[in-house]
Each structure stands twice: as structure tokens, then as C-alpha cells.
Amino acid sequence: PTHAPTEPFKFYPRYDQFTCRADGQHSEFEVHFYNTLEECCNHPWLQKTTCLILGAAFTNPPTTGPTTPKPVTSPPTHHPTSVSTSASTVSPTKAPTHTPTNAPIMTLTTGVPTFKPTSLPTTRPTNNPAIAPKGQIVEDFEFGLSSAFQWYNSKPYSWVADDTIAMSGALSMRNTIPPGGQTCTLSLTLNSETGGLITYGIRHDIFMPWSVLRIEDNGEIVETVAGHSGEPKWSVQSVTLDPGEHEVAWIIWRSNSDSLPVEELGQGLVWLDAIKYTPGLSFNFDLGVFDMNYVRFSGVGTWAIDDSQPANDDGLAAHSPKFLLPG
């Protein structure tokens, strides 16, 4: 028998990766298929410029497999037939990001978007985060939200990739502007055996009373950002972690007051980049020597290790030199 040649896979949106793929790994409920990457990146829930950059690796799709999705065995709860663009968030970039006002909420699973006709997510992922590795973890958003951390991105007011402003590399993450009384949240979760430090690059252009940024650790406010002086600029901030499970969140809150000044200051936007987790180090000096890979001495005198005043009534402790003169 003669076998007819198969055609390439169609492109379909990968909302969790901010781009499109043509690998045949779409959900059986997917209804949006396109012949080219550019056509797919015109989908109203994707930012076209970012989509094209991230999807460049998939412009030559494989030529095996079916050209149509698998038959639907059970109807999905809901399919969006149109997306309202009446409420758009004006980005300082050359491509505005549109927030659908009446569209169903898109809940991201492992590469398979499904849809729920609800308002805002009320729970975080319930699976326990994996214990963080011994070394550093770095997230630079060059491929969207990677698996470096366990991420939560609120819907429908979400953080999106921005290819016009970045502290390092080509991309950063930026909030969309929620309506009054609503929030836009991005958070990471990890389980740190040793504790450590989360550092992150941040650039913001928000002002009270219109908007405020809260940085939280397990629901406790670590810092509140309510304005700045001069032009917006990048800085590096940090959150100190104790041993255990942590959810570090960046939350934009939008005021719904009827008495706000007409002329708003700032753009109401925050950018994040170069998020890094560095595990903590613990020294108990019970080996009786300093590890010179981590310790450096300067000035007069020498620190010593002995059993004269240990913290737990036994063992060893380090102490400063005696008889130092004033100054």
C-alpha cells in the first residue's frame, strides 16, 4: 500500500509559556490552531512580541503525527468564543496588553490549559513544594515562568513577560493593572532546609493612593512600596528565609476609592527580574577550626575557638581577641 505523507502539526497557544508550540501535545479540548507562529501569536491572550521571541524554536515543526486534535470524548465545561478587549491595560511598551473582562478564567496545569467560569482563584497550589537544592536557584524569566520555583500567577489579572524593560537578559515580568479593589499577584513557593536569602531585581512606578505593592512571606508583610522619587530605576532587594516552607509574594493592590485625585502619578506598574535563592550556611565550630573558604580576618588580634562559653553548655564557640585597645 502507498502511504500519503503526513502534514506538520498546527501551532496552538501555550499560555503558561507565553508562546505557541507545534508539537501535537495540546489538550483534547484545544480549539485554537494556526498554520504559522505569527498567526498563533496574534491570539488575544498572548503578547505578540514576547510570543514570537519565545516561540522562535518552534518555527520548523515536526512532520509526523495527525493534523487535527484528538476527538473530544466529553465536552469541556466552557470554551471562549470571543474575548472582550474593552478594558485594556496600557503598557509603556510598544504593544499593549489586553485583559479580557468577561473571559473565563484560565487555570494552568502541566502544559494543558483548562477553563473555569469563576472570578478569582481562592487557593494556592496544594501540593507540597520540593525541598530546595543545596545550591543557588536563579530565575531570569528568559523562558517565561520556568520550573526553577513553584509559581502562582493570579487570574485574570496576571503578571506577563515584558521584552522592553529588563535588568538582565531580554525579558522581565510585569504586572497588569487590576480594577479598583482588586489585586495582581505573583508568588513563588519553596521548602528550604537551611533557610537562606531571596534576592530580586525590582523596578516600580506606583504611587499611593492609587496603587501599592506588598512583598509578603507566608502572608506576613515584609515590605510595602507606595512611591518613589525621580525616574523609575532598578534596585536589588531581598527577603530573609528561616528554615521551612515559604511562599514569597509580590502583590499589586489597586484602590477603589471614589475620592482619588484625577491625575494619577506613575504608571501603576512593577517589573521583577533576576530572582535568586541562596541557601544559608550554618557554623557551630565543633571541629575546632575556621573554614577559611568562608571566614576572613582583619584588624588587630585573632579570633579563637574553645569551650569557654558555648551556646548550649557544651561544645565549642568562637570568641574575639582579648585586651583590644580603644579605637
Side-chain angles (χ1 to χ4, degrees), residues 109-166:
T109 60
T110 308
V112 180
T114 58
F115 299 91
K116 295 181 181 179
T118 58
S119 53
L120 285 172
T122 57
T123 59
R124 296 294 193 271
T126 56
N127 53 309
N128 294 325
I131 295 176
K134 302 299 183 182
Q136 285 187 339
I137 306 175
V138 179
E139 173 62 271
D140 56 11
F141 305 118
E142 295 306 290
F143 298 96
L145 294 176
S146 73
S147 59
F149 297 101
Q150 180 176 312
W151 289 103
Y152 168 81
N153 194 3
S154 62
K155 295 290 180 181
Y157 315 113
S158 305
W159 290 67
V160 297
D162 191 329
D163 63 346
T164 63
I165 297 176

Side-chain angles (χ1 to χ4, degrees), residues 159 184-186 188 200 214-215 248-252 272 275:
W159 290 67
C184 178
T185 301
L186 181 69
L188 64 84
Y200 57 94
R214 298 197 313 267
I215 297 96
V248 178
W250 294 266
I251 305 170
I252 307 294
L272 293 174
I275 296 180

Side-chain angles (χ1 to χ4, degrees), residues 18 34-35 102-103 108-109 115 134 141 149 155 172 174 189 223 231 276 281 323:
F18 311 106
Y34 305 89
N35 292 322
N102 298 313
L108 300 181
T109 60
F115 299 91
K134 302 299 183 182
F141 305 118
F149 297 101
K155 295 290 180 181
S172 66
R174 169 182 56 78
T189 303
E223 184 179 359
E231 293 296 317
K276 180 188 298 183
L281 293 174
F323 311 118

Side-chain angles (χ1 to χ4, degrees), residues 5-235:
T6 57
E7 296 182 9
F9 287 122
K10 299 285 188 179
F11 284 91
Y12 66 96
R14 275 295 296 266
Y15 309 98
D16 59 328
Q17 296 183 0
F18 311 106
T19 187
C20 295
R21 287 180 178 261
D23 54 10
Q25 301 301 312
H26 50 77
S27 163
E28 62 179 322
F29 301 131
E30 182 61 68
V31 296
H32 300 99
F33 295 95
Y34 305 89
N35 292 322
T36 67
L37 175 65
E38 184 172 3
E39 289 177 359
C40 185
C41 288
N42 284 322
H43 191 284
W45 290 3
L46 296 173
Q47 188 183 48
K48 183 174 181 179
T49 304
T50 301
C51 176
L52 290 172
I53 293 174
L54 298 179
F58 306 104
T59 53
N60 295 311
T63 57
T64 59
T67 60
T68 57
K70 299 176 183 178
V72 176
T73 56
S74 59
T77 304
H78 183 72
H79 278 308
T81 56
S82 63
V83 178
S84 169
T85 57
S86 58
S88 61
T89 298
V90 179
S91 164
T93 69
K94 49 187 179 270
T97 300
H98 297 282
T99 302
T101 56
N102 298 313
I105 306 309
M106 180 176 67
T107 302
L108 300 181
T109 60
T110 308
V112 180
T114 58
F115 299 91
K116 295 181 181 179
T118 58
S119 53
L120 285 172
T122 57
T123 59
R124 296 294 193 271
T126 56
N127 53 309
N128 294 325
I131 295 176
K134 302 299 183 182
Q136 285 187 339
I137 306 175
V138 179
E139 173 62 271
D140 56 11
F141 305 118
E142 295 306 290
F143 298 96
L145 294 176
S146 73
S147 59
F149 297 101
Q150 180 176 312
W151 289 103
Y152 168 81
N153 194 3
S154 62
K155 295 290 180 181
Y157 315 113
S158 305
W159 290 67
V160 297
D162 191 329
D163 63 346
T164 63
I165 297 176
M167 190 176 79
S168 63
L171 296 174
S172 66
M173 290 295 288
R174 169 182 56 78
N175 68 291
T176 54
I177 301 178
Q182 300 292 325
T183 59
C184 178
T185 301
L186 181 69
S187 71
L188 64 84
T189 303
L190 80 161
N191 191 344
S192 174
E193 288 186 307
T194 62
L197 193 69
I198 292 284
T199 59
Y200 57 94
I202 183 169
R203 181 184 188 271
H204 62 85
D205 194 18
I206 59 173
F207 291 87
M208 281 291 287
W210 298 276
S211 300
V212 67
L213 166 66
R214 298 197 313 267
I215 297 96
E216 297 183 356
D217 178 20
N218 289 341
E220 298 291 330
I221 297 177
V222 176
E223 184 179 359
T224 300
V225 178
H228 64 85
S229 60
E231 293 296 317
K233 59 183 179 181
W234 286 100
S235 64

